[in-house]
Amino acid sequence: MAGSRDDIPRVKRRLWRYLLLSSYAIVLFASGALVALAGAAIIYVNSKPDLAIWHTADLDGEFAARSGLKTFGEYLQLEEALFTELKSEVYDKIEESERSTFNRYTAGSKSDPDIWTPNWNRTFELAKPEATFGVLLLHGYSDSPYSLRGFGTVMHAAGAHVLGLRIPGHGTAPSALKYTVADDMTAAVRLAMQHMKAVMADRPIFIIGYSNGGALAVNYSLEAIEDATLPVPAGLVLMSPEIGISRAAAYANWQAKVGDLLGLDKLAWSSVLPEFDPYKYNSFAVNAGEQAWQMTEKVRTKLDRLSRNGQLGEVAPILAFQSAVDATVIANAVVTGLFARLPSGDHELVIYDVNRFYEAQGLITKQIDLERLISGPSTAYAVDIVTNRDSTTFDAVLRSRAAGSDAVTTTELGLSWPDDVYSLAHIALPFSPDDPLYGDDPRSENPGIRLGRLALHGENNTLSIPPTMMTRQRWNPFHAFMVAKIAQFVRERVGGASSQ
């Protein structure tokens, strides 16, 4: 027993020595990991272009959910002051070396949005005396009201009072998306819908949402089911809706946090590119990726809750358009994450197939399983697929199946694929071939840069922008079909008034 007692101090000393060595090893490992992380961050940062004033400007006047605004009129007043601040803090401060013919922030350049009339970066409203219905337009991430202005003019001509909302963080400088969060965007949508309700009274209001605007539209529609104080939309039209995105976006802001820790501002950006598009940011803040994820989570959790409460049947009628291939959102998420969850209702999903007559057909990947969607088990929603008549022609047809039906009908569209286009792209759906900025028609009136026809050929690693920016499809050859489909969707819910 005495011998055992003598061993106790020795055991304690060994234990303490082990703990000290383990702690030392952990500190060394953590220090090494931090050094490696810092080294990797520095290498990554050095590979990016230097930040410009439009990446670093802090625009204090942007709307936020905490702003406490009560009316949409106050939102517009704040927006007016914001654009005054944008001029003084960005346009008036850019370096002389940064001024160029195609710099968005060079006054009078071919990319300056102010050479357009109006400047479509701002909220716009198309009033209609005695309007028979209302339309709220919600654009996508890094985008602007320009993207849906074409549908706004069409709906206005058809009898609608139209409001094109500038979503907070957009239309100014890319730096704004370092700070704007999903709650700011949803709060702005609520203000806009309250304004539309004040204008339209009991007349129907539709929401057209593109990309993140699609997620905002769905989110608002679900909120209105649970909150009786919110105006209920008569229907939703979604284009390339942001229903599911890569899970990596959920952790995007950790990159920015490491940047804050190390004093490396470039880590707040997933891409730093020249700003030559007057109505869309080319640079993208990592916060924007995380907020896009947050929007998809808002939609998912609300769908879960409404499902548990048996209220999904109250979701407003949805007409959605999605390309079978999409590099921005998970294309199939609109099927599995939204439509497949809805009970029988007045919903319709339109999918744009890839070009089946394209000579590089075997190189195209990442498609939705369209054959199962159109020919598999019947669905609680209508399905339409825009596709080639067969693999030997560019001519397009519409294959359709009504909700709950096994019968498939085929309709000639009188439209065809361009012979040099293998698929649509996430950014292409809202734009017509004659869109003055993103379209393919050189006859369309345009005061500045024309991006739809911009195709550059030369040596690799020479341009300051990725070659993929020049090859991505920017306009929709089936836009006329989309316009007709949306008009029918609205007309059926307004009782013919939209045809005025």
Side-chain angles (χ1 to χ4, degrees):
M1 294 295 292
S4 297
R5 284 196 298 271
D6 291 342
D7 287 340
I8 292 175
R10 187 181 301 112
V11 171
K12 286 183 176 181
R13 286 195 299 273
R14 289 178 178 174
L15 179 59
W16 276 111
R17 198 158 46 239
Y18 173 78
L19 291 174
L20 286 172
L21 288 173
S22 297
S23 300
Y24 182 64
I26 290 172
V27 170
L28 283 178
F29 178 80
S31 300
L34 185 60
V35 169
L37 180 62
I42 291 170
I43 292 172
Y44 178 72
V45 163
N46 287 337
S47 70
K48 286 184 174 294
D50 291 337
L51 299 181
I53 186 67
W54 48 86
H55 299 114
T56 59
D58 187 0
L59 302 177
D60 297 326
E62 183 58 275
F63 170 85
R66 63 180 182 276
S67 298
L69 304 189
K70 301 298 184 183
T71 69
F72 192 68
E74 292 176 325
Y75 184 90
L76 294 179
Q77 291 174 6
L78 191 64
E79 183 177 278
E80 185 64 30
L82 174 66
F83 276 84
T84 300
E85 184 184 13
L86 174 69
K87 182 180 184 304
S88 64
E89 295 301 315
V90 178
Y91 280 85
D92 293 347
K93 290 186 177 180
I94 71 170
E95 300 290 339
E96 192 62 37
S97 60
E98 294 171 330
R99 298 179 187 274
S100 73
T101 305
F102 293 102
N103 182 343
R104 169 178 176 162
Y105 299 102
T106 298
S109 75
K110 289 184 178 295
S111 297
D112 179 5
D114 272 332
I115 68 174
W116 295 68
T117 304
N119 179 345
W120 293 100
N121 279 312
R122 302 191 183 208
T123 297
F124 68 89
E125 191 162 13
L126 305 176
K128 172 73 73 171
E130 303 301 323
T132 53
F133 65 103
V135 174
L136 173 62
L137 306 173
L138 304 176
H139 64 77
Y141 241 118
S142 80
D143 218 339
S144 70
Y146 179 88
S147 63
L148 293 176
R149 100 214 191 294
F151 288 99
T153 56
V154 169
M155 293 291 102
H156 183 249
H161 183 102
V162 177
L163 176 62
L165 177 67
R166 183 195 64 87
I167 306 297
H170 296 79
T172 56
S175 61
L177 288 184
K178 290 167 57 181
Y179 310 107
T180 300
V181 298
D183 285 345
D184 300 332
M185 302 180 197
T186 57
V189 172
R190 286 193 291 271
L191 279 177
M193 277 297 285
Q194 288 165 0
H195 171 71
M196 290 295 290
K197 179 64 175 178
V199 172
M200 299 305 301
D202 294 329
R203 289 164 290 176
I205 303 168
F206 297 84
I207 305 178
I208 299 180
Y210 162 50
S211 191
N212 184 61
L216 286 167
V218 174
N219 179 76
Y220 176 84
S221 178
L222 302 180
E223 282 186 336
I225 294 173
E226 297 182 307
D227 185 347
T229 67
L230 297 178
V232 177
L236 309 180
V237 177
L238 313 178
M239 306 173 192
S240 303
E242 180 190 85
I243 303 301
I245 61 175
S246 169
R247 193 172 187 84
Y251 311 105
N253 253 346
W254 280 102
Q255 178 178 310
K257 291 176 181 177
V258 171
D260 289 340
L261 178 66
L262 301 177
L264 301 174
D265 293 341
K266 290 183 185 179
L267 286 181
W269 298 88
S270 58
S271 63
V272 178
L273 295 168
E275 298 297 330
F276 55 81
D277 189 326
Y279 295 123
K280 184 177 180 66
Y281 305 148
N282 291 330
S283 302
F284 201 72
V286 295
N287 175 63
E290 178 169 335
Q291 298 310 315
W293 170 265
Q294 293 296 336
M295 275 308 310
T296 64
E297 285 296 283
K298 282 178 177 288
V299 170
R300 183 188 63 79
T301 54
K302 287 182 175 66
L303 286 170
D304 287 345
R305 188 165 58 247
L306 292 173
S307 178
R308 289 193 299 270
N309 296 337
Q311 293 179 282
L312 285 181
E314 300 175 39
V315 173
I318 298 175
L319 170 64
F321 299 86
Q322 173 65 53
S323 174
V325 290
D326 194 312
T328 301
V329 301
I330 299 173
N332 199 48
V334 71
V335 179
T336 59
L338 181 59
F339 276 80
R341 303 195 62 178
L342 301 176
S344 297
D346 198 8
H347 310 297
E348 186 170 3
L349 175 60
V350 180
I351 303 289
Y352 292 103
D353 195 2
V354 299
N355 183 355
R356 298 284 176 176
F357 190 42
Y358 188 71
E359 62 184 357
Q361 176 63 223
L363 302 179
I364 302 174
T365 60
K366 302 179 182 177
Q367 298 176 34
I368 298 174
D369 187 351
L370 299 182
E371 202 54 43
R372 176 176 175 80
L373 199 58
I374 197 74
S375 303
S378 62
T379 58
Y381 52 92
V383 175
D384 302 300
I385 297 178
V386 177
T387 187
N388 303 68
R389 185 187 305 119
D390 56 55
S391 61
T392 66
T393 179
F394 290 118
D395 294 339
V397 298
L398 185 69
R399 300 179 67 199
S400 303
R401 185 165 71 161
S405 173
D406 291 326
V408 178
T409 62
T410 300
T411 306
E412 294 286 339
L413 289 178
L415 300 168
S416 60
W417 279 99
D419 59 9
D420 60 346
V421 174
Y422 58 84
S423 79
L424 296 189
H426 178 84
I427 60 174
L429 268 64
F431 302 108
S432 65
D434 62 354
D435 183 88
L437 178 59
Y438 300 118
D440 189 47
D441 189 346
R443 298 168 297 179
S444 58
E445 188 174 343
N446 180 322
I449 191 171
R450 191 184 300 274
L451 296 174
R453 292 181 59 82
L454 189 60
L456 305 176
H457 302 276
E459 184 54 273
N460 289 337
N461 303 318
T462 303
L463 294 174
S464 58
I465 57 175
T468 52
M469 292 191 72
M470 297 297 100
T471 60
R472 202 174 188 192
Q473 180 67 12
R474 294 178 181 268
W475 52 275
N476 184 353
F478 311 107
H479 188 269
F481 156 76
M482 177 184 282
V483 169
K485 195 75 175 171
I486 294 172
Q488 178 186 4
F489 178 80
V490 170
R491 187 165 52 246
E492 289 173 350
R493 288 154 186 82
V494 179
S498 64
S499 62
Q500 294 180 1

Coordinates of all heavy atoms in Angstrom, one line a residue, residues 53-63 82 85-86 90 104-105 141-142 166-181 184-185 269 281 283-288 291:
I53 N -13.2 52.1 -55.8 CA -14.1 52.9 -54.9 C -15.5 52.2 -54.9 O -16.2 52.2 -53.9 CB -14.2 54.4 -55.4 CG1 -15.0 55.2 -54.3 CG2 -14.8 54.5 -56.8 CD1 -14.4 55.3 -53.0
W54 N -16.0 51.6 -56.0 CA -17.3 51.0 -56.0 C -17.4 49.7 -55.2 O -18.4 49.2 -55.0 CB -17.8 50.8 -57.4 CG -16.8 50.2 -58.4 CD1 -16.6 48.9 -58.6 CD2 -15.9 50.9 -59.3 NE1 -15.6 48.7 -59.5 CE2 -15.2 49.9 -59.9 CE3 -15.7 52.2 -59.5 CZ2 -14.2 50.2 -60.9 CZ3 -14.7 52.6 -60.5 CH2 -14.0 51.6 -61.1
H55 N -16.2 49.2 -54.9 CA -16.1 48.0 -54.0 C -16.0 48.4 -52.5 O -16.3 47.6 -51.7 CB -14.9 47.1 -54.4 CG -14.9 46.6 -55.7 ND1 -14.0 47.0 -56.7 CD2 -15.7 45.7 -56.4 CE1 -14.2 46.4 -57.8 NE2 -15.3 45.6 -57.7
T56 N -15.6 49.6 -52.2 CA -15.3 50.0 -50.9 C -16.2 51.0 -50.3 O -16.3 51.2 -49.1 CB -13.8 50.5 -50.7 OG1 -13.7 51.6 -51.6 CG2 -12.8 49.4 -51.1
A57 N -17.0 51.7 -51.2 CA -17.8 52.8 -50.7 C -18.9 52.3 -49.8 O -19.5 51.2 -50.0 CB -18.5 53.5 -51.9
D58 N -19.1 53.0 -48.7 CA -20.1 52.7 -47.7 C -21.3 53.6 -47.8 O -21.2 54.8 -47.4 CB -19.5 52.8 -46.3 CG -20.5 52.3 -45.2 OD1 -21.6 51.8 -45.6 OD2 -20.1 52.3 -44.0
L59 N -22.4 53.2 -48.5 CA -23.5 54.0 -48.8 C -24.5 53.9 -47.6 O -25.3 53.0 -47.5 CB -24.2 53.6 -50.1 CG -23.3 53.6 -51.3 CD1 -24.0 53.1 -52.6 CD2 -22.7 55.0 -51.6
D60 N -24.5 54.9 -46.8 CA -25.3 54.9 -45.5 C -26.7 55.0 -45.8 O -27.5 54.7 -44.9 CB -24.8 56.1 -44.6 CG -23.4 55.9 -44.1 OD1 -22.9 54.8 -44.0 OD2 -22.7 57.0 -44.0
G61 N -27.1 55.6 -46.9 CA -28.5 55.8 -47.2 C -29.4 54.7 -47.7 O -30.6 54.9 -47.9
E62 N -28.8 53.5 -47.8 CA -29.6 52.4 -48.2 C -30.7 51.9 -47.2 O -30.4 52.0 -46.0 CB -28.7 51.2 -48.6 CG -29.4 49.9 -49.1 CD -30.1 50.2 -50.4 OE1 -31.3 50.7 -50.3 OE2 -29.5 50.0 -51.5
F63 N -31.8 51.5 -47.8 CA -32.9 51.0 -46.9 C -32.5 49.7 -46.2 O -31.8 48.9 -46.7 CB -34.1 50.7 -47.8 CG -35.2 50.0 -47.0 CD1 -36.1 50.7 -46.3 CD2 -35.3 48.6 -47.1 CE1 -37.1 50.0 -45.6 CE2 -36.3 47.9 -46.4 CZ -37.2 48.7 -45.6
L82 N -30.3 58.3 -51.6 CA -29.2 57.3 -51.9 C -28.5 57.5 -53.2 O -27.2 57.4 -53.2 CB -29.8 55.9 -51.9 CG -28.9 54.7 -52.2 CD1 -27.8 54.5 -51.2 CD2 -29.7 53.4 -52.4
E85 N -26.1 60.3 -52.8 CA -25.0 59.8 -52.1 C -24.1 59.0 -53.1 O -22.8 59.1 -53.0 CB -25.4 59.0 -50.9 CG -24.2 58.6 -50.1 CD -24.6 57.6 -48.9 OE1 -25.8 57.2 -48.9 OE2 -23.8 57.4 -48.0
L86 N -24.7 58.2 -53.9 CA -23.9 57.4 -54.9 C -23.0 58.3 -55.8 O -21.8 58.0 -56.0 CB -24.8 56.6 -55.7 CG -24.2 55.8 -56.9 CD1 -23.3 54.6 -56.3 CD2 -25.3 55.2 -57.8
V90 N -19.1 57.8 -55.1 CA -18.5 56.9 -56.1 C -18.2 57.7 -57.4 O -17.0 57.8 -57.7 CB -19.5 55.7 -56.4 CG1 -18.9 54.8 -57.4 CG2 -19.7 54.9 -55.1
R104 N -18.9 51.7 -65.9 CA -20.2 52.1 -65.5 C -20.2 53.4 -64.6 O -21.1 54.1 -64.7 CB -20.8 50.9 -64.7 CG -22.1 51.3 -63.9 CD -22.6 50.0 -63.2 NE -23.8 50.3 -62.4 CZ -24.6 49.4 -61.9 NH1 -24.4 48.1 -62.2 NH2 -25.6 49.7 -61.2
Y105 N -19.1 53.6 -63.9 CA -19.1 54.7 -63.0 C -18.3 55.9 -63.6 O -18.0 56.8 -62.8 CB -18.4 54.3 -61.6 CG -19.3 53.2 -61.0 CD1 -19.0 51.8 -61.1 CD2 -20.5 53.5 -60.4 CE1 -19.8 50.9 -60.5 CE2 -21.4 52.5 -59.9 CZ -21.0 51.2 -60.0 OH -21.8 50.3 -59.4
Y141 N -30.6 38.9 -57.9 CA -29.4 39.3 -57.2 C -28.4 40.0 -58.2 O -28.2 39.5 -59.3 CB -28.8 38.1 -56.5 CG -28.7 38.3 -55.0 CD1 -29.3 37.4 -54.2 CD2 -28.0 39.3 -54.5 CE1 -29.3 37.5 -52.8 CE2 -27.9 39.5 -53.1 CZ -28.6 38.6 -52.3 OH -28.6 38.8 -50.9
S142 N -27.8 41.1 -57.7 CA -26.8 41.9 -58.4 C -27.4 42.6 -59.6 O -26.7 43.2 -60.4 CB -25.6 41.1 -58.8 OG -25.8 40.3 -59.9
R166 N -36.8 48.5 -56.9 CA -35.4 48.3 -56.7 C -35.2 47.7 -55.4 O -35.4 48.2 -54.3 CB -34.7 49.7 -56.8 CG -33.1 49.5 -56.7 CD -32.5 50.9 -56.4 NE -32.8 51.4 -55.1 CZ -32.2 51.0 -54.0 NH1 -31.1 50.2 -54.0 NH2 -32.6 51.5 -52.8
I167 N -34.7 46.4 -55.4 CA -34.5 45.7 -54.2 C -33.3 46.3 -53.5 O -32.3 46.7 -54.1 CB -34.1 44.2 -54.5 CG1 -35.3 43.6 -55.3 CG2 -34.0 43.4 -53.2 CD1 -36.6 43.5 -54.7
P168 N -33.3 46.5 -52.1 CA -32.2 47.1 -51.4 C -30.9 46.4 -51.7 O -30.8 45.2 -51.9 CB -32.6 46.9 -49.9 CG -34.1 46.8 -49.9 CD -34.4 46.1 -51.2
G169 N -29.8 47.2 -51.8 CA -28.5 46.7 -52.1 C -28.2 46.7 -53.6 O -27.0 46.4 -54.0
H170 N -29.1 47.1 -54.5 CA -29.0 47.0 -55.9 C -29.1 48.3 -56.6 O -29.6 49.3 -56.1 CB -30.0 46.0 -56.5 CG -29.9 44.6 -55.9 ND1 -30.3 44.2 -54.7 CD2 -29.3 43.5 -56.5 CE1 -30.1 42.9 -54.5 NE2 -29.5 42.5 -55.6
G171 N -28.5 48.3 -57.8 CA -28.7 49.5 -58.7 C -27.7 50.6 -58.4 O -27.7 51.7 -59.0
T172 N -26.9 50.4 -57.4 CA -25.9 51.5 -56.9 C -24.5 51.1 -57.2 O -24.0 51.3 -58.2 CB -26.2 51.9 -55.5 OG1 -26.1 50.7 -54.6 CG2 -27.6 52.5 -55.3
A173 N -23.9 50.5 -56.2 CA -22.5 50.0 -56.3 C -22.4 48.6 -55.7 O -23.2 48.3 -54.7 CB -21.5 50.9 -55.5
P174 N -21.5 47.8 -56.2 CA -21.4 46.4 -55.7 C -21.2 46.3 -54.2 O -21.6 45.4 -53.5 CB -20.2 45.8 -56.5 CG -20.2 46.6 -57.7 CD -20.6 48.0 -57.3
S175 N -20.5 47.4 -53.6 CA -20.2 47.4 -52.2 C -21.5 47.3 -51.3 O -21.5 46.8 -50.2 CB -19.5 48.7 -51.8 OG -20.3 49.8 -52.1
A176 N -22.7 47.7 -51.9 CA -23.9 47.7 -51.1 C -24.3 46.3 -50.7 O -24.9 46.0 -49.7 CB -25.0 48.3 -51.9
L177 N -23.9 45.3 -51.5 CA -24.2 43.9 -51.2 C -23.3 43.3 -50.2 O -23.5 42.1 -49.8 CB -24.2 43.0 -52.5 CG -25.4 43.3 -53.5 CD1 -25.3 42.4 -54.6 CD2 -26.7 43.2 -52.7
K178 N -22.3 44.0 -49.7 CA -21.6 43.6 -48.5 C -22.4 43.7 -47.2 O -22.0 43.0 -46.2 CB -20.3 44.4 -48.4 CG -19.2 44.1 -49.5 CD -18.1 45.2 -49.5 CE -17.4 45.3 -48.1 NZ -16.4 46.3 -48.1
Y179 N -23.4 44.5 -47.3 CA -24.1 44.8 -46.0 C -25.6 44.4 -46.0 O -26.2 44.2 -45.0 CB -24.0 46.3 -45.7 CG -22.6 46.8 -45.8 CD1 -22.1 47.6 -46.8 CD2 -21.6 46.4 -44.8 CE1 -20.8 48.0 -46.9 CE2 -20.3 46.9 -44.9 CZ -19.9 47.7 -45.9 OH -18.6 48.1 -46.0
T180 N -26.2 44.4 -47.2 CA -27.7 44.2 -47.3 C -27.9 42.7 -47.0 O -27.2 41.8 -47.4 CB -28.2 44.5 -48.7 OG1 -28.0 45.8 -49.0 CG2 -29.7 44.2 -48.8
V181 N -29.0 42.5 -46.2 CA -29.3 41.1 -45.8 C -30.7 40.8 -46.3 O -31.5 41.7 -46.7 CB -29.2 40.9 -44.2 CG1 -27.8 41.2 -43.8 CG2 -30.2 41.9 -43.5
D184 N -33.8 42.8 -45.1 CA -33.9 44.1 -45.7 C -34.8 44.0 -47.0 O -35.7 44.8 -47.2 CB -32.6 44.7 -46.1 CG -31.7 44.9 -44.8 OD1 -32.2 45.1 -43.7 OD2 -30.5 44.9 -45.0
M185 N -34.5 42.9 -47.8 CA -35.2 42.7 -49.0 C -36.7 42.3 -48.8 O -37.6 42.9 -49.4 CB -34.5 41.6 -49.8 CG -33.1 41.9 -50.1 SD -32.3 40.6 -51.1 CE -30.6 41.0 -50.8
W269 N -15.0 39.4 -51.2 CA -15.5 39.3 -52.5 C -15.2 37.9 -53.1 O -14.1 37.4 -53.0 CB -14.8 40.3 -53.4 CG -15.2 41.7 -53.0 CD1 -14.5 42.4 -52.0 CD2 -16.3 42.5 -53.4 NE1 -15.1 43.6 -51.8 CE2 -16.3 43.7 -52.6 CE3 -17.4 42.2 -54.2 CZ2 -17.2 44.7 -52.8 CZ3 -18.3 43.2 -54.4 CH2 -18.3 44.4 -53.7
Y281 N -24.4 44.3 -61.5 CA -23.0 44.2 -60.9 C -22.3 43.0 -61.5 O -22.9 41.9 -61.6 CB -23.0 44.1 -59.4 CG -23.8 45.1 -58.6 CD1 -24.4 44.7 -57.4 CD2 -23.9 46.4 -59.0 CE1 -25.1 45.7 -56.6 CE2 -24.6 47.4 -58.3 CZ -25.2 47.0 -57.1 OH -25.8 47.9 -56.3
S283 N -19.0 42.3 -60.2 CA -18.4 41.9 -58.9 C -19.5 41.4 -58.0 O -20.6 41.9 -58.0 CB -17.6 43.0 -58.3 OG -16.7 43.6 -59.2
F284 N -19.1 40.4 -57.2 CA -20.1 39.8 -56.3 C -19.5 39.6 -54.9 O -18.5 38.9 -54.7 CB -20.5 38.4 -56.9 CG -21.8 37.9 -56.4 CD1 -23.0 38.5 -56.8 CD2 -21.8 36.8 -55.5 CE1 -24.2 38.0 -56.3 CE2 -23.0 36.3 -55.1 CZ -24.2 36.9 -55.5
A285 N -20.1 40.2 -53.9 CA -19.7 40.1 -52.5 C -20.1 38.7 -51.9 O -21.2 38.2 -52.2 CB -20.3 41.2 -51.7
V286 N -19.2 38.1 -51.1 CA -19.6 36.8 -50.5 C -20.8 36.9 -49.6 O -21.5 35.9 -49.5 CB -18.4 36.3 -49.7 CG1 -17.2 36.0 -50.6 CG2 -17.9 37.2 -48.6
N287 N -21.1 38.0 -49.0 CA -22.3 38.2 -48.3 C -23.5 37.9 -49.1 O -24.5 37.4 -48.6 CB -22.4 39.6 -47.6 CG -23.7 39.8 -46.9 OD1 -24.0 39.2 -45.9 ND2 -24.5 40.8 -47.4
A288 N -23.5 38.3 -50.4 CA -24.6 38.1 -51.2 C -24.9 36.6 -51.4 O -26.1 36.2 -51.4 CB -24.4 38.8 -52.6
Q291 N -26.6 35.5 -48.2 CA -28.0 36.0 -48.1 C -28.9 35.3 -49.1 O -30.1 35.1 -48.8 CB -28.0 37.5 -48.4 CG -27.2 38.3 -47.3 CD -27.6 37.9 -45.9 OE1 -28.8 37.8 -45.6 NE2 -26.6 37.8 -45.1

